[in-house]
Amino acid sequence: MPGPDKETDLTERIEAFLSDLKRGGSGTGPLRGSAEMARETTSLLRRITAQARWSSAGDLMEIIRKEGRRMIAAQPSETTVGNMIRRVLKIIREEYARSRGSSEETDQQESLHKLLTSGGLSEENFRQHFTALKANVIEAINELLTELEGTTDNIAMQALEHIHSNEVIMTIGRSRTVEAFLKDAARKRKFHVIVAECAPFCQGHKMATSLSKSGIETTVITDAAIFAVMSRVNKVIIGTQTVLANGGLRAVNGTHTLALAAKHHSTPLIICAPMFKLSPQFPNEEDTFHKFVSPHEVLPFTEGEILSKVNVHCPVFDYVPPELITLFISNIGGHAPSYIYRLMSELYHPEDHEL
Amino acid sequence: MADGGVTDGPDKNDDVERAKCEGKEMTKEEKQRLRKEKKQQKKSKEKKDDAASQESEKGKKSDGKSSPASQPLPKPTTQKEAPAPADKPAKSKAELKAERRARQEADRASKQGSKKGEVGPQASAGKPKAPPSELQPVVKRLPEHMQVDNPDVLKKLAKKLERQQIPLRLDYGYKVSLFSHLHQYSRKAPLTQQLSIPSTVIHPAIVRLGLQYSQGIVAGSNARSVALLHAFKQVISDYTTPPNEELSRDLVNKLKPYISFLNQCRPLSASMGNAIKYIKKEISNIPSQCKEEEAKRKLLNCIECYINEKIILAAKAIAKYSIEKISDGDVILVYGCSSLVNHILCEAFEKAIKFHVIVVDSRPRLEGREALRRLVQRGISCTYVLISAVSYILPEVSKVFLGAHALLANGYVMSRVGTSQIALVAKAFNVPVLVCCETYKFCDRVQTDSFVSNELDDPDDLIVTRKGKTQLEDWQQVDSLGLLNLVYDVTPPDFVDLVITDLGMIPCTSVPVVLRVKNVDQ
């Protein structure tokens, strides 16, 4: 019977993905880039939609929420997984609303007017069955996948608007988005890039070799020299792991120092982040930033017996408040940090913020 | 720089104008020489006719001053005319100035137009107000190690080293364009490899010291100064005055090639510079009738005193002041390995104050590990992080203690690279920053950024092997890739809350006052 086989096949894939997540996020930075993670999640969700057993939109949403919670629990620091799940949930709601024929819910926000007028109609329990729903949802997810494929190119296309010739640009660590951005600009303009190596993983080295091989004048500096050279830098362009709901960032450690130095010299700080990195979380001490990896990276075991007498910390992420950021460049254009909350309401439904 | 350049103002403009017109760069030395020659010529001319020219000059000056409408300066004229009848040499200077001014005006009027002509005499008229005793014209010679991009300077240096029989150290690797005016040496090619063994020109203690500097075995400004002074003690005790020579002059000349050699091994630090100045002064102050043995004993004693006073006792005084600032339950952040800060923390621990230390470290030197070892050995509880984690750990910190390599005259603190960053982040989190520095490290240089005067370390230090892969292994092959390994950076005074010195606790802006008081004392 095709049914149970498909189901076991599906559960196998989900388990494989979960174990990948658990393993992938340990230590040396993401084994795969965020874009790949987003694509994998979305394909998996498409597969769930196609193969799982559900009769109404509500069922599907329940299944996705359940699997989503497991995925997020496997690797809490990979926020792209949660973001994609919320996007798909929003897609399902939209398709359901369209199938029902009701007007597009353009403004999802609660308003007093809505509460008074649409009294009983707000009882959306998604229980109605529509035959075309499955096909529509899968089509919409395919559109989402195409959007994901093109994010890096879309961002890179905007490079020439922001980089003029003979500039000195600073960046930190390694971001594939920023790499593509700079390489695209380098085809037409000549500029100089300074890369901060971002200890202890020193991802900046790989970025620097890759950029210099494309013919861009690159210099590698240590993290300690960021403030010292900042006075000669015209722009700071960095990538990030997550964009938080208040416009702040959760980026690789050392970014906060970089942002403060840029603010001190009034140098614009530009973030290249595709929309799938936007997360509806707000910064919160307990769960948002603190992810640590083995202190072996900082103080290796070869140091001997003092290791038992000292505490060693190796945080992976840094929080950057939105006041230090000048501009976000995403695949749908450029925005100020104060506009991020608006974009969030377009991408995610408020009821999905807590899965 | 030359704020008191009273007499040199118009001269400099004059020379610079001529140099610009001739399209040739004259070094400051050549300019000085030219100036001296001109002065000599004028003096010899003036001694011939005095009385007649006096009145005509007076007339000329008052005319020259009142005629251009843009000179509302009545004071300088009166001042000039008052000493004029009283003093002959002052008169001749003023005459020279007037003549020069007249010539300048003629030149400028013919070449550049009226604007410059107004500015020139205005400036020279305004300047003679300043009394010469306090604001002496500072004709600073730019040190060689900051002019690597000037081929003339390099040629002169090569000639000087050849004369002193010291090998020239070659630069290594691709230099980042912003720093092409500084040297960049490789640690794998120490200068001592190019010396003959045994070296006849340089004392073996100095050779050893140079090697220790260039390999980083002796590092840290206090350690380097103390090592230098001990080596000089050795040199002085082994020294014998050659016949027909005076100890005070010959010993100073003997020390010059040693200093050049050490400079080639590693650029001298500010503290070393001050120590050398002190020694040279002491040597030249030795009276000529003093016997050799006694003179040597006196010098050795002086050096001992210097080390004792300026370094050891100063550390004790600073520790005493600092301990007042450390209270129970404090979490103190330190950066890198500063001998002074370590000393303070150990003293505070002896006094049974309960505090916790966070040691921040940075690649590639990783000096913090040395500080960590020393503190842990004493039993102080420590935490260790890298500098990129500073904004994570700062909310827990109550105070930041930083060491300094030198304190500049405009209040900037020159210290290990990364210090300014820590001060910046501490300021953002409202954590007080205290800098500990002995007064012998104060220097009267001024600097506003970390580019103009710095030290470039071996760029190969940045290369690291992680998980068997070395990303930057063949960085030399790739044309557009450069590695930058800075050693120092400057911290602006608004990031620093307090400077603790052996003279007390002062704000950063009081550094020039201390310098001036010291100069007056000496």
Side-chain angles (χ1 to χ4, degrees), chain B residues 449-487:
Chain B
D449 60 32
S450 324
F451 290 84
V452 179
S453 171
N454 206 329
E455 197 184 317
L456 294 178
D457 210 356
D458 193 349
D460 288 337
D461 285 345
L462 290 183
I463 303 178
V464 70
T465 306
R466 282 184 54 87
K467 303 196 154 159
K469 283 209 291 185
T470 317
Q471 291 289 344
L472 296 177
E473 205 161 16
D474 31 351
W475 68 278
Q476 306 248 34
Q477 264 80 331
V478 185
D479 265 344
S480 33
L481 185 59
L483 301 186
L484 184 62
N485 191 356
L486 287 177
V487 181

Side-chain angles (χ1 to χ4, degrees), chain A residues 269-343:
Chain A
L269 177 63
I270 297 175
I271 319 289
C272 290
M275 273 292 106
F276 64 79
K277 287 193 179 166
L278 177 55
S279 161
Q281 289 173 306
F282 276 89
N284 181 348
E285 272 301 316
E286 288 85 53
D287 40 69
T288 330
F289 331 106
H290 293 171
K291 180 183 175 198
F292 299 92
V293 292
S294 161
H296 163 77
E297 310 281 350
V298 173
L299 197 60
F301 295 119
T302 46
E303 285 299 313
E305 47 172 64
I306 57 170
L307 277 178
S308 53
K309 302 189 190 131
V310 301
N311 302 331
V312 183
H313 296 294
C314 186
V316 181
F317 296 121
D318 243 355
Y319 169 62
V320 181
E323 302 86 58
L324 302 174
I325 300 170
T326 316
L327 183 70
F328 281 98
I329 296 182
S330 70
N331 47 314
I332 52 182
H335 324 281
S338 46
Y339 187 65
I340 294 291
Y341 81 96
R342 206 58 208 163
L343 289 172

Side-chain angles (χ1 to χ4, degrees), chain A residues 217-273:
Chain A
E217 278 283 328
T218 321
T219 306
V220 177
I221 62 167
T222 52
D223 295 332
I226 287 176
F227 185 72
V229 305
M230 183 58 81
S231 53
R232 295 291 176 273
V233 173
N234 298 120
K235 286 193 175 76
V236 180
I237 301 182
I238 57 177
T240 174
Q241 204 259 0
T242 309
V243 179
L244 297 166
N246 66 341
L249 295 183
R250 186 170 158 214
V252 75
N253 70 336
T255 313
H256 190 206
T257 312
L258 182 66
L260 283 172
K263 188 80 181 189
H264 181 262
H265 288 102
S266 297
T267 310
L269 177 63
I270 297 175
I271 319 289
C272 290

Side-chain angles (χ1 to χ4, degrees), chain A residues 113-141:
Chain A
H113 179 81
K114 264 207 244 151
L115 276 175
L116 291 172
T117 54
S118 60
L121 229 64
S122 56
E123 270 301 304
E124 288 280 1
N125 53 5
F126 296 96
R127 286 287 153 225
Q128 259 182 296
H129 172 79
F130 293 106
T131 37
L133 187 62
K134 192 178 213 170
N136 286 346
V137 169
I138 291 183
E139 198 184 310
I141 295 182

Side-chain angles (χ1 to χ4, degrees), chain B residues 213-255:
Chain B
Y213 281 168
S214 66
Q215 299 301 103
I217 299 172
V218 173
S221 55
N222 274 346
R224 283 165 73 190
S225 307
V226 171
L228 176 74
L229 290 170
H230 281 305
F232 275 178
K233 269 169 62 174
Q234 186 88 7
V235 167
I236 290 175
S237 42
D238 290 343
Y239 170 76
T240 45
T241 326
N244 303 331
E245 290 283 353
E246 262 192 47
L247 181 132
S248 57
R249 265 184 243 135
D250 186 57
L251 187 54
V252 175
N253 286 339
K254 269 270 169 20
L255 288 180

Side-chain angles (χ1 to χ4, degrees), chain A residues 166-168 191-194 217-221 229 232, chain B residues 146 148-149 173-184 451-452 456 475 479-484 486:
Chain A
N166 276 333
E167 267 202 294
V168 179
F191 52 90
H192 191 121
V193 176
I194 299 181
E217 278 283 328
T218 321
T219 306
V220 177
I221 62 167
V229 305
R232 295 291 176 273
Chain B
M146 274 163 56
V148 177
D149 52 352
Y174 169 71
K175 255 191 275 186
V176 178
S177 55
L178 285 169
F179 291 94
S180 55
H181 61 287
L182 297 173
H183 282 297
Q184 183 172 279
F451 290 84
V452 179
L456 294 178
W475 68 278
D479 265 344
S480 33
L481 185 59
L483 301 186
L484 184 62
L486 287 177

